């Protein structure tokens, strides 16, 4: 009647069980880089992202140790994010 949309009026998003740490790693990077990909905002300083919490020494409810472990360490966590970010900022042209 009022042309409203959203989860209250429509079906919820599809949930997929994560069975593989490689897929989990991919999803974490994908989620952290969404501000860059969709809004062209620096993902490292985006205030609504958990990325900065992984770099922080402050205690949080985030399972930092487990996530950093699947990236091997904090250094590799940062490296993977920056590498993928570099891919997003590269402009491809066809000649």
């Amino acid at each position: 009647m009022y042309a409203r949309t959203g989860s209250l009026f429509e079906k919820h998003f599809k949930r997929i069980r994560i069975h593989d740490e490689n897929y989990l790693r991919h999803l974490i990077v994908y989620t952290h880089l969404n501000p860059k990909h969709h809004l062209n905002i620096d993902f490292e300083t985006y205030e609504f992202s958990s990325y900065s919490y992984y770099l922080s020494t402050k205690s949080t409810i985030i399972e930092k140790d487990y996530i950093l472990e699947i990236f091997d360490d904090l250094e590799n966590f940062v490296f993977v994010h920056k590498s993928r970010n570099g891919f997003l900022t590269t402009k491809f042209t066809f000649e």
Side-chain angles (χ1 to χ4, degrees):
M1 181 171 165
Y2 297 107
R4 295 185 182 201
T5 62
S7 62
L8 180 62
F9 305 102
E10 299 170 2
K11 290 183 179 180
H12 294 286
F13 59 91
K14 184 177 179 182
R15 293 172 178 91
I16 300 172
R17 184 174 299 272
I18 301 171
H19 294 287
D20 184 333
E21 285 186 351
N22 288 327
Y23 185 54
L24 175 60
R25 209 174 11 249
H26 172 77
L27 289 176
I28 291 168
V29 174
Y30 173 83
T31 303
H32 286 155
L33 293 181
N34 265 338
K36 173 65 178 175
H37 184 70
H38 296 288
L39 305 172
N40 202 25
I41 297 173
D42 181 21
F43 78 96
E44 294 178 275
T45 58
Y46 186 63
E47 68 177 310
F48 302 109
S49 173
S50 62
Y51 178 80
S52 63
Y53 290 101
Y54 287 100
L55 306 180
S56 174
T57 57
K58 296 178 184 177
S59 82
T60 67
I61 61 171
I62 295 173
E63 296 286 339
K64 291 184 344 181
D65 294 334
Y66 173 70
I67 298 302
L68 293 176
E69 184 180 304
I70 66 170
F71 280 91
D72 293 329
D73 57 17
L74 178 61
E75 184 178 323
N76 195 47
F77 177 83
V78 172
F79 174 78
V80 170
H81 280 76
K82 289 190 178 196
S83 297
R84 186 72 188 268
N85 183 49
F87 178 77
L88 288 176
T89 57
T90 303
K91 301 291 183 199
F92 295 99
T93 58
F94 295 102
E95 295 182 23

